[in-house]
Each structure stands twice: as structure tokens, then as C-alpha cells.
């Protein structure tokens, strides 16, 4: 699938990235530090190196020039000065290495952006391109492009097909999987007069639908538009290196200017620029990010770019989808309550009776009853005259009795359980009520402990966002001790994310369904439960959890915090080293050639410091990552 393809591409990119960096380090360490490349550097014609540097670095140079015209200094500004200074003193290899790291960083950003765009294209693909239109005279049907449908046309949707339009059921009955829009795990039964929506799936039955909206005007079309808007407007997170360069570059410029004014020595001035603007600043962040991303991947965390690593420690809001994210998405029997309280035997008799009727049902509620009966080892009798009634329930003849299982409008003493968000079914035999069965989606067992660890890391607001009914959401939120908002559309979810962002807060969104995709893209960091989540959510998210393990969420935050500590240490050590080099160069003690060679030393320090992230021991369930 798309998810597996995305993981394979990411693995290839990371592997190539690591090999290139390793090769560059061999060149830097063996070449510059030990002087093995001096002869090559001296023999390298300028007319060969200069075009390679200009062409290779052109996109970055253009970005630096554009930022400069807007009065902004970015980390690439620092490296561009280093390239220019290296060229001035004839250090073509050094200039080429700086350009290489600039290009690798730009490629990483481009890769991440393209994956988000792929997610949007995947959303669009869920709306069928063709539809079966019925003639107005009722004489036949024809397969036409959805684009050619008009309001009040009638289309036929068969079992297993996606609904191509928003509309109203004209005739027929069906069960619809609407998880693409609502995230609801239970199919919705529809009959004449009920609304249906584009991109939902007919799991059983068939319907004739009167067209009300097509394409971009449909509810799902608006979801796609929201995802496109979020992808286009999510903005760039300012890198830590950019902020560092904003302060550091003017300092370097002043020192270089003072050096030239006082000594009138172009070589000393060039040495100041070369030693201060080494590629170590370009490497300080990406080396740590690469090491951390590689270590995270081994733990089942696929992080799509280092900038998300910088954002995670600053997040204070965690928004969570329900179905498939904090719940398993699998319905389970929570209680079996026979009308005459005959104890355990009466409960088993009621469950076995209901399971017999549900044996041939494809509804998730019916499968839950059958699964519970089989788990208890009950003997399930054969049935005849099985019939499924859309929007009501199922009925069959069991041992000469007409037995039905249907939704209960009046649960009697079970009303308290209904308020807790459980679905209640009633079982009747020959028209006589036999009892009730309570069914509910189940909360993942590892969520509560994971949320406690998340709170300990500075997340002050945690909310459950769901398209489910308020009673269901309230019960689950109470279990998790978090806030909740229920009966939400995808547009509502993305609006909530934007509301928090407008308050200046960083937002993490965890989800697994197509209905979450716009919110995942809009969030500062979107996290997808990758194993059971849809391919669309995986592509839209910035981080994918390759296992259904909620412990990975706080672990992700821990990895990000540790990574940013290493990045800050890299920048600090590089800054201190370069300031010492600046002093020596300004005093004329460090000539340009040695200044260029000295750039290798902080590179080695950055490699050693960043490599600690590769050696991190796996986190325990309740503790922090170990250094």
C-alpha cells in the first residue's frame, strides 16, 4: 500500500543520506585534517569547481538573497558567506562540502512537502470517478463520469461501492461505512429519505440516490479542500539554526570589518569569514536529526523531517481522535442482562439465543455478540428464515421460536448504561422481551499510562475529538481523565486546531482515519497510528507510529527533547570554537589555509556528540530515555 511504499522510500532516502554524509566525513577528516587532499585542492581548476558550486548551491543562494531582501537572516546565510569566503581563498573542496550539506537539507524539506501533497491526492482518489446513472424514464442504466452528473439525477450504488455524490435515498436500504467522514466505527443504516455522502461505502444492501451535490460541492469535496488549504498554509517552522545565525552572522561581519579596518589585511579578513562560517553550522542540526530519526525508526517511529523534532518540545496541546486511536475500533459485549435474573445460566442462554440470530449478520454489533458467545464456548443452535431489516435489526427462527435482536429505544433499567455511551440491543422471542445486551467500543489498555507521561512533559491540554455521539465521547473521556468534543465533522476538527494555533500554542494531533487527515496536516505535528490507520492518514501525518502502541507517543516527545538538547550543544560548542578561531584569525595568527583546515575539528565534535543519539537505550514504559 501507500504506507508501505512511503516507508520504503523514506528508508532509501535515509540510507543514501547516511552514506553521503559518511563519505563526506571521510573526505573532511582524512583530507583536510591530515592534509591528504592538499595536492588535489591545488590542482583543481577554478573553472571546474566554480560552476559546480554555483549550480549546486543556486536554489539555496537564491533563498538567501530573497531573505536578505526582506531583511531576514537564515542559517543558509551563514553557510553562503562561508562558501564565498572559501572561494575567495581558493578552498574549492571546502566550498563544495558546504554546498553539499545545503542541498541535502533542501532535498529533505522537498521530500517532506511532496509526501504531504501525495496525501491530498490520495484524499481526492476516494471519490469515485464513475457512477451508475439511471435514466429518468426508468428504462435502463448507464456508466457516466461523476463530472457529468447534475442535481436531481438518480444514481445506483451497489454493495461494496463508494457513494459518488451527496444525495438522498430515493429507494432501497443499505448499511453505510461513513468512517471516511465521521470516524464512526459502526455502519449507519439508511433507508428512503436518509442523506448519504460521497466517499462513504455501501457495506450491504443497495440504494438509488437522488443527487444533491457533486465533486467539490459535496461534503467530502470540502474535506479535500480543507486538506489542500492546510497543506498550503501550514508555514515553515523557523529553525533553531536560523535564530542562531540571526545573532551570530552580524557578530562575524563586525569582527571581519574591524579586522580589515585595523589591519588592512584581506587575508586575515578572509580567514575570519572562513573560520566562522564553516559547514559545522550546517551540520549541527541535521546530524543530530539524522541520528535521532534513525534511532526512532528502529523503535517504530517514522518522523518525516527534523523540523517536527524542533516543534514537539514546544507543544502544549494534544488532540486525539477516538475510533482506532484511543479505542480499538472493535465492538465488545460489556453486559448481558436477562429479563428474569436467573444468574449466569440465564445470561448464557440469552447470549446464545442472540448469537444464533446474529450468525449470518455482517453488522459489527452482531459480530461482537457472536464472538463473545464463541469465546465463552456456548453451543449456538442453527436457525432458519434469517432476515436482516435495515435500520432495525435481525430476526430468525430458532428452535421453533421467532427471535429478534434489535436496537432498544427503551432500555428500562439499562438507561444508565446507555448514558455511559453503550449501544443497547434487546432480544425478543415470539414477541416477548427476553433481556438486553450492552455493547461498546473498548479503550486501548496502554492509553492512560501514556497520557500521564505526556502530561509530565509539558502538555497542559488534552482533548478527545470525535464524530461519535456525546454520550460515547463523555464516557471514554471520563475514563482517560481528559476533555472531549463530540459530534464533530472534519471541518470542526481543523477549526479546533486553528483555534489553538491562533492562541499561539503548538498543537499535536493523533489520529488514524481519513476524516482526521485535514487536522493532521494543519496541526504543528500530526501523528498517525500507522498499522491500522488509513494510508491517507499516514501520508498526511508528520509522524507515523508503525505499531499500535501508545507508549510511542510520550517516547516521541522524549526523543525530540533529547535531540534538541544535542542540537543546542552542537551549536554552542561550534560557536565557542569558532569564536576562538575568530580571535586567532583577526590577530593574524590563523592564516586562511589553516582556517579552512580548522573547520574539520568542530565537524568531528558534532559527529561524536550527535552519535550519542544512536546509542540511546530503549525507553522503559514509565521512564525517560537513557543517555
Amino acid at each position: 500500500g501507500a504506507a508501505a511504499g512511503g516507508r520504503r522510500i523514506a528508508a532509501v532516502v535515509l540510507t543514501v543520506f547516511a552514506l553521503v554524509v559518511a563519505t563526506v566525513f571521510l573526505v573532511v577528516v582524512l583530507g583536510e585534517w591530515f592534509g591528504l587532499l592538499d595536492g588535489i585542492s591545488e590542482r583543481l581548476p577554478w573553472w571546474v569547481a566554480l560552476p559546480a558550486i554555483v549550480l549546486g548551491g543556486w536554489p539555496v543562494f537564491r533563498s538567501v538573497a530573497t531573505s536578505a531582501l526582506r531583511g531576514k537572516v537564515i542559517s543558509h546565510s551563514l553557510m553562503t558567506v562561508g562558501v564565498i569566503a572559501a572561494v575567495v581563498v581558493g578552498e574549492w573542496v571546502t566550498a563544495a562540502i558546504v554546498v553539499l550539506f545545503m542541498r541535502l537539507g533542501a532535498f529533505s524539506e522537498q521530500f517532506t512537502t511532496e509526501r504531504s501533497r501525495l496525501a491530498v491526492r490520495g484524499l481526492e482518489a476516494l471519490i469515485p470517478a464513475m457512477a451508475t446513472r439511471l435514466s429518468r424514464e426508468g428504462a435502463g442504466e448507464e456508466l457516466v463520469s461523476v463530472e457529468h452528473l447534475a442535481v436531481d439525477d438518480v444514481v445506483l450504488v451497489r454493495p461494496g461501492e463508494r457513494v459518488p455524490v451527496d444525495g438522498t435515498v430515493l429507494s432501497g436500504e443499505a448499511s453505510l461505512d461513513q468512517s471516511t467522514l465521521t470516524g464512526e466505527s459502526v455502519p449507519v443504516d439508511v433507508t428512503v429519505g436518509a442523506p448519504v455522502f460521497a466517499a462513504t461505502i455501501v457495506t450491504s444492501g443497495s440504494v438509488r440516490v437522488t443527487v444533491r451535490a457533486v465533486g467539490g460541492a459535496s461534503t467530502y469535496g470540502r474535506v479535500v479542500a480543507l486538506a489542500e488549504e492546510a497543506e498550503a498554509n501550514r508555514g515553515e517552522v523557523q529553525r533553531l539554526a536560523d535564530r542562531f545565525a540571526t545573532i551570530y552572522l552580524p557578530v562575524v561581519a563586525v569582527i571581519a570589518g574591524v579586522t580589515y579596518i585595523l589591519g588592512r589585511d584581506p587575508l586575515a579578513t578572509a580567514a575570519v569569514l572562513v573560520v566562522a562560517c564553516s559547514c559545522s553550522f550546517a551540520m549541527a542540526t541535521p546530524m543530530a536529526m539524522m541520528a535521532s530519526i534513525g534511532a526512532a525508526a528502529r523503535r517504530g517511529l517514522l518522523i518525516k523531517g527534523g523540523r517536527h523534532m524542533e516543534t514537539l518540545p514546544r507543544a502544549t496541546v494534544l488532540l486525539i481522535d477516538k475510533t482506532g486511536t484511543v479505542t480499538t475500533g472493535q465492538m465488545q459485549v460489556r453486559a448481558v442482562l436477562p429479563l428474569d435474573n436467573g444468574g449466569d445460566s440465564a445470561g448464557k442462554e440469552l447470549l446464545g439465543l442472540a448469537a444464533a440470530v446474529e450468525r449470518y449478520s455482517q453488522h459489527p454489533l452482531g459480530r461482537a455478540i457472536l464472538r463473545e458467545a464463541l469465546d465463552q464456548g456456548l453451543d449456538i443452535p442453527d436457525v432458519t428464515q434469517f432476515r436482516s431489516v435495515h435500520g432495525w435489526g435481525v430476526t430468525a427462527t430458532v428452535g421453533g421460536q421467532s427471535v429478534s435482536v434489535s436496537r432498544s429505544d427503551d432500555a428500562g433499567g439499562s438507561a444508565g448504561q446507555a448514558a455511559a455511551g453503550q449501544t443497547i440491543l434487546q432480544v425478543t422471542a415470539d414477541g416477548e422481551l427476553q433481556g438486553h445486551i450492552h455493547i461498546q467500543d473498548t479503550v486501548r489498555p496502554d492509553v492512560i499510562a501514556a497520557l500521564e507521561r505526556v502530561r509530565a512533559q509539558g502538555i497542559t491540554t488534552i482533548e478527545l475529538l470525535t464524530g461519535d455521539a456525546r454520550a460515547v465521547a463523555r464516557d471514554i473521556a471520563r475514563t482517560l481523565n481528559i476533555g472531549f468534543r463530540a459530534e464533530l465533522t472534519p471541518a470542526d476538527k481543523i477549526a479546533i486546531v486553528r483555534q489553538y494555533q491562533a492562541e499561539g500554542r503548538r498543537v499535536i494531533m493523533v489520529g488514524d482515519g481519513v476524516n482526521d487527515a485535514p487536522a493532521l496536516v494543519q496541526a504543528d505535528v500530526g501523528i498517525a497510528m500507522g498499522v491500522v490507520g488509513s494510508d491517507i492518514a499516514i501520508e498526511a501525518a508528520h509522524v507515523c507510529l508503525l505499531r499500535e502502541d501508545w507508549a510511542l507517543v510520550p517516547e516521541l516527545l522524549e526523543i525530540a527533547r533529547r535531540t534538541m538538547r544535542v542540537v543546542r550543544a552542537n551549536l554552542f560548542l561550534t560557536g565557542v570554537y569558532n569564536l576562538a578561531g575568530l580571535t586567532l584569525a583577526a590577530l593574524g595568527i590563523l592564516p586562511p589555509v589553516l582556517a579552512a583546515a580548522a573547520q574539520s575539528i568542530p565537524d568531528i565534535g558534532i559527529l561524536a556528540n550527535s552519535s550519542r543519539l544512536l546509542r540511546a537505550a530503549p525507553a522503559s514504559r514509565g521512564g525517560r530515555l537513557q543517555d
Side-chain angles (χ1 to χ4, degrees), residues 9 72-73 90 141 252 329 361 377 403 441 480-481 507 548 567 625:
I9 292 173
K72 292 181 60 179
V73 175
E141 59 185 55
V252 173
S361 171
V403 180
D441 201 352
L480 300 177
N481 191 28
V507 179
E548 292 182 340
V567 168
L625 289 173

Side-chain angles (χ1 to χ4, degrees), residues 182-235:
T182 66
E184 173 56 62
S185 54
V186 180
V188 175
D189 297 320
V190 296
T191 186
V192 176
V196 296
F197 304 97
T200 57
I201 304 173
V202 175
T203 58
S204 64
S206 64
V207 287
R208 291 174 173 81
V209 177
T210 303
V211 177
R212 297 302 179 212
V214 179
S218 68
T219 301
Y220 190 77
R222 293 195 294 273
V223 170
V224 174
L226 285 170
E228 291 174 336
E229 181 183 353
E231 197 281 327
N233 297 321
R234 62 185 174 179

